[in-house]
Amino acid sequence: MTQKQTTHSESDSESTTESPLETARRQLRTAAGRTDVDDGVIERLKHPTRVVEVSIPLERDDGSVDVFTGYRAQHDDVRGPYKGGLRYHPEVNADECVGLAMWMTWKCAVMDIPFGGGKGGIVVDPKELSDDEKERLTRRFAEEIRDEVGPSRDIPAPDMGTDAQTMAWFMDAYSMQEGETIPGVVTGKPPVIGGSYGREEAPGRSVAIVAREAIEYYDESLDDVSIAVQGYGSVGANAARLLDEWGADIVAVSDVNGGLYDPDGLQTQDVPSHKEEPEGVMRYDSSNTVSNEELLELDVDVLIPAAIGNVITADNADRIQADIIVEGANGPTTSTADTILHERGKHVIPDILANAGGVTVSYFEWLQDINRRTWSKERVNDELESAMLDAWTDVKAEVDAGDMSWRDAAYVVALNRIGEAKEARGLWP
Ligand code: NAD
């Protein structure tokens, strides 16, 4: 998955690239124009608090030594400790970490979670590391950024190329040096060492909850709507199965190879998810298939792009038929496509709201860790439901109050909260 955002200029179809940092700053500018937040606060939010770059020496399995570069960007902590993923990917760089950290600031604020935004990673292709090398690299990285992280300072989580095991190694390395077990230093851990039940399913669950609310808001009934889901992984499959369970017809799902389409509705429990059988969607049934491009343009009521970024662009936005688009993936809609969809009267529910179940349950995990408690899966799901409904209600109030897209409304809610916190705390000295 590439980290560059491909967007299209308004005047022609030439494609340009917009980095996550450019996207984050553009979104800040747009939201700033719609709020009364002080210019000085906006200026402060354009810049990260700090970006740490470290060198991470790794002894390879053959005894040779390589040195990798790692980053941790901390954007803003006015509302609480920095929070955000650690990714292992060859294209990780400082600017990308800052842009993604800014997204985390907005996401935590729209959810009213007491965290700010952080992001980091290592410039490495994890597929080229053995498990032992990955463990040594992770432990040394934890050591190099030890002074920056901590349960009340900055709390990493899994991201692209990292997983629950990576977080377990990170937590262990950090705890060993502190002399005590500190599970709250990272989230997304295995439950046996303080991870939360329901964390894995949470982003898909939040997508389903938000889709359900949007369907109701636009006077449709779950029993009557048809839904297409691109990407049948953690986010897509969990969202599809829940919406299916709640009565909707999931008429199309896909993986990287293409999709299945049945206008009468698919049996979502039977179609293997990415975790159950990678790239198993097309193998499940090779009749009635659609390409990923066709899936996006199907005549359905709701479209959930839940695979990768930049799939709805200036090239296909005119042909999207769904009235409601719920962003499961991060950044599936380019900015030009967003404008086209808004002008066509389509409703795009943004990623920072829709898939925020992940960071929300990360917050629950952190609460469980610092309180040395374990919540049942039922409790996690109940609390997630109410957190999503609160955020939905706050964003809806902005949509109802002005002629605003759901994306602009979500950013306005986030920015107002951050602005108020900055005003209350002031600037010292
Ligand atoms: P995943 O690896 O579990 O599943 C990804 C799915 O997308 C797979 O079915 C894969 O085959 C499919 N896919 C890959 N490339 C594709 C392509 N070019 N076209 C169509 N399908 C393709 O990933 P995930 O965790 O479900 O993440 C999906 C998206 O959601 C990503 O954008 C991710 O950043 C975002 N997201 C994930 C989480 C999380 O915690 N899992 C949280 C928030 C946002």
Side-chain angles (χ1 to χ4, degrees), residues 1 87 107 158-160 199-200 202-204 230-237 254-258 272-275 278-279 281 292-293 305-309 311 328-332 351 355-359:
M1 199 186 316
R87 54 177 55 178
K107 200 180 260 196
D159 202 282
M160 216 178 284
R199 168 68 182 81
E200 166 85 26
Q230 184 184 58
Y232 210 56
S234 169
V235 178
S254 70
D255 63 19
V256 66
N257 298 319
S273 70
H274 182 69
K275 193 175 171 194
E279 301 181 17
V281 169
N292 267 301
E293 291 73 31
I308 56 168
V311 292
N330 286 324
D351 45 10
N355 69 28
V359 72

Side-chain angles (χ1 to χ4, degrees), residues 186-199:
V186 287
T187 60
K189 300 176 295 295
V192 69
I193 52 164
S196 181
Y197 296 114
R199 168 68 182 81

Side-chain angles (χ1 to χ4, degrees), residues 233-250:
S234 169
V235 178
N238 281 303
R241 286 173 178 173
L242 267 177
L243 287 162
D244 186 9
E245 197 181 306
W246 295 340
D249 278 340
I250 310 299

